[in-house]
Amino acid sequence: MTGAQTTGGVEPFDAVQVISIKRDGGVVPGDALRWMIDAYTRGYVADAQMSAFTMAVLLNGMTREEIRVMTDAMIASGERMSFGALGKPTVDKHSTGGVGDKITLPLAPLVASFGVAVPQLSGRGLGHTGGTLDKLESIPGWRAALSNDELFAQLAGVGAVICAAGSGLAPADKKLYALRDVTGTVEAIPLIASSIMSKKIAEGTDSLVLDVKFGSGAFMKDVDKARELARTMVALGTDSGVATTALLTDMNTPLGLTIGNANEVRESVEVLAGGGPADVVELTVALAREMLALAGQPDADVEKALQDGRAMDAWREMIRAQDGDPDAPLPQPRETHTVTASADGVLTRMEALPFGIAAWRLGAGRARAQDPVIHAAGIDLHVKPGDAVRAGQPLFTLLADDETRFARAAEALEGAWEIGAEAPASAPLVLERITA
Ligand code: URA
């Protein structure tokens, strides 16, 4: 209904009326909701009005139909891509974001090595969760911005593309997300679900696997809320004709042994070479299986492709296609500071959120969208929960370009890990699989 909301210059609805319906716990009629999104995108509905509306949604929720209409309205605000002409199935993955979450890097080439196209249109990091593009920009020469022609050519050839999402996809979401960010309304499930899914549906993928994280380093700290978000997004994808499944995964502990940018690329390459930390391998394999099942290859031997070099070949091709040099040395930090164990025992806890904040304070992430990231900054972990440690043994190393950053990072890490007498009970990394 974009562009059809005004009749001869007269607006058919009134923002105060729409806000009041949601404030009073009612259901906003579809045409009024479409108008609200369209009128906000074109600047007729003011930021103050949309802030009130998003707060009303946060407090009172939305029905499944309202969420579907809101998602459609955000898709209709911009372009809708189609990969139909490629002649091969397309499958994408979206993670709700976590600490040390570098899974997209090994996953995209791994899945593409089975002849499937993986259009991974990604964003940059803001706050304590890192951005995939920031990580890849550690590779000398690598270019995030591709034209649509370059994107199609690379999908047709290499199969895997990780690049910047163009500004034409769901512009309503861009404006709405920036507003939510400064009005305390990011955490509303209907708003998160419509924001993520509008971009993914507009992107034009045939199928989608969602990695919905719960725990201290995730958007959703609470597992029940994460489950509700996953179910909402799976329903939205399915209703729009995108085959969608979700995995509910634990983000209480950082993923793998690296948090940052260049160090996360290094670890991803280890996974592609058939090694790497067990949790990163487990999640990469689980997500690849889901993606390949949706793309019609439920029996694909994913582990073999990591062991026999096929996934690594696809990675090297993918990096080269975007002008990166897969053999170039990665940036190294100028300063390091290693924290050691104060006693013998077992590492019982390592909280994802403070480690994410510390890596961010070291320069690995940005506080404002326009800030640069320091590619060599971050944290290398030497142990994970359940590992036995001896007094004096290195626990983790802070990496920075400027040693004045260490104090603020160390402050974030106070109380973030614990050495005890007994190993913690092990929790599954993949808790649940959610399907339509
Ligand atoms: N990521 C998005 O793209 N949107 C949200 O609302 C939250 C996370």
Side-chain angles (χ1 to χ4, degrees), residues 177 180 191-192 195-196 199 219:
Y177 190 80
R180 288 166 53 211
L191 302 180
I192 299 175
S195 165
I196 292 174
K199 286 172 287 198
F219 241 118

Side-chain angles (χ1 to χ4, degrees), residues 369-419:
Q370 65 270 32
D371 290 345
V373 303
I374 296 164
H375 290 114
I379 305 176
D380 282 348
L381 307 176
H382 306 302
V383 289
K384 292 290 286 279
D387 290 346
V389 297
R390 305 300 304 254
Q393 178 181 336
L395 297 178
F396 51 87
T397 300
L398 309 181
L399 319 168
D401 273 2
D402 177 348
E403 64 181 3
T404 61
R405 288 184 181 259
F406 290 144
R408 291 256 300 140
E411 226 174 78
L413 289 168
E414 270 169 31
W417 78 94
E418 203 166 68
I419 296 173

Side-chain angles (χ1 to χ4, degrees), residues 15 19 35-36 39-50 175:
I19 296 163
W35 172 83
M36 187 78 177
Y40 179 60
T41 311
R42 53 189 164 80
Y44 179 78
V45 167
D47 278 349
Q49 293 175 309
M50 190 49 99
K175 196 168 172 194

Side-chain angles (χ1 to χ4, degrees), residues 2 34 67-77 80 198 201 236 240:
T2 305
R34 285 180 205 275
I67 302 173
R68 192 191 62 73
V69 168
M70 173 124 168
T71 307
D72 277 352
M74 296 209 292
I75 295 169
S77 72
R80 193 158 177 173
S198 62
I201 296 166
L236 276 176
S240 298

Side-chain angles (χ1 to χ4, degrees), residues 319-376:
I319 298 300
R320 280 210 197 91
Q322 288 170 247
D323 301 331
D325 178 356
D327 299 312
L330 292 166
Q332 294 294 320
R334 278 201 284 271
E335 308 290 343
T336 63
H337 173 74
T338 296
V339 174
T340 57
S342 54
D344 291 354
V346 178
L347 189 73
T348 53
R349 188 170 60 83
M350 186 173 242
E351 285 294 331
L353 180 61
F355 275 85
I357 292 171
W360 173 38
R361 288 184 180 177
L362 289 165
R366 53 170 68 79
R368 298 174 309 162
Q370 65 270 32
D371 290 345
V373 303
I374 296 164
H375 290 114

Side-chain angles (χ1 to χ4, degrees), residues 67 186-194 220 224-226 228-229 232:
I67 302 173
V186 167
E187 286 80 1
I189 287 177
L191 302 180
I192 299 175
S194 55
M220 295 282 146
D224 293 329
K225 287 237 165 77
E228 188 187 335
L229 175 63
T232 306

